Amino acid sequence: MKNNKSLGQHWLKDRLVLDYIASCLDEGKLVVEIGPGLGTLTSSLLKRFDKVIAIEYDKRLADNLPKSFPGKNLEVINTDFLDFNLEEIKQPYVAAGNIPYYITSPIIMKLLETKNQPQKIVLLIQKEVAERIAAVDGKESVLSLSVKNRAEVELGDVVGKEFFTPPPKVDSQVIILTPHQPLVDEKTIKLIKQGFKAPRKKLAKNLGLSKDQITEIFGKLNISLDARPADLSLETWQNLSRII
């Protein structure tokens, strides 16, 4: 089927890569697949799980998918994943998908913020975004801190753009998330978002505190007065929030 560019559809067909993505998940009873498309990853998931719930926004793809897997325990739901109520799933599950670049952050945060989190999440996303979430350069962001607050982050294999049809403009990378209970409270997350309103400025200028307050608080926490928001770890943000 012809891809829909507006939905960010790029077909991944390499079987070794698809099997690798599925292998990053522990075998189990149920996996929720986000954006199955032509069903290439679905095929690998059906080998490892008792049931696949595939959530596909494109109606023509959703209608076609069951025909590719007759007799398999595959449930296809034709809806936008961001509109799907994960709390309807009443048993333990994991989640996987080769997801569109333009809605990566909303999908990840939906999976992590739902009351019944997946036990594990394996996604193929834009390489640059995967590296930003893992903060491989040592620089944090609102996204990296929000994800680390709710999950352990591990980077998997890089998948070159040549493995896709049609090829996207950039490479992709597998990211593996193991959800856990939040490490910091909502006040800390609110402070992080405030601190990143002007990410290139010194953090001291983003907090709305006096110079004397900043000097005292930063001194207690051993934070440099020249620190940018990206320099602080989640733990430091939490300590900063408690003092403020």
Side-chain angles (χ1 to χ4, degrees), residues 35-50:
L38 298 177
T40 51
L41 179 57
T42 312
S43 177
S44 295
L45 294 172
L46 284 168
K47 297 175 187 176
R48 303 180 67 87
F49 291 88
D50 295 342

Side-chain angles (χ1 to χ4, degrees), residues 137-185:
D137 59 357
K139 300 296 183 181
E140 300 288 357
S141 63
V142 173
L143 178 59
S144 69
L145 292 167
S146 298
V147 172
K148 290 176 181 178
N149 182 42
R150 294 178 176 270
E152 292 293 328
V153 179
E154 178 185 351
L155 293 181
D157 288 357
V158 174
V159 180
K161 51 184 175 288
E162 67 272 12
F163 288 97
F164 294 85
T165 303
K169 295 180 179 179
V170 295
D171 293 335
S172 299
Q173 187 162 15
V174 173
I175 190 167
I176 304 161
L177 306 176
T178 305
H180 52 59
Q181 291 301 309
L183 300 176
V184 303
D185 58 24

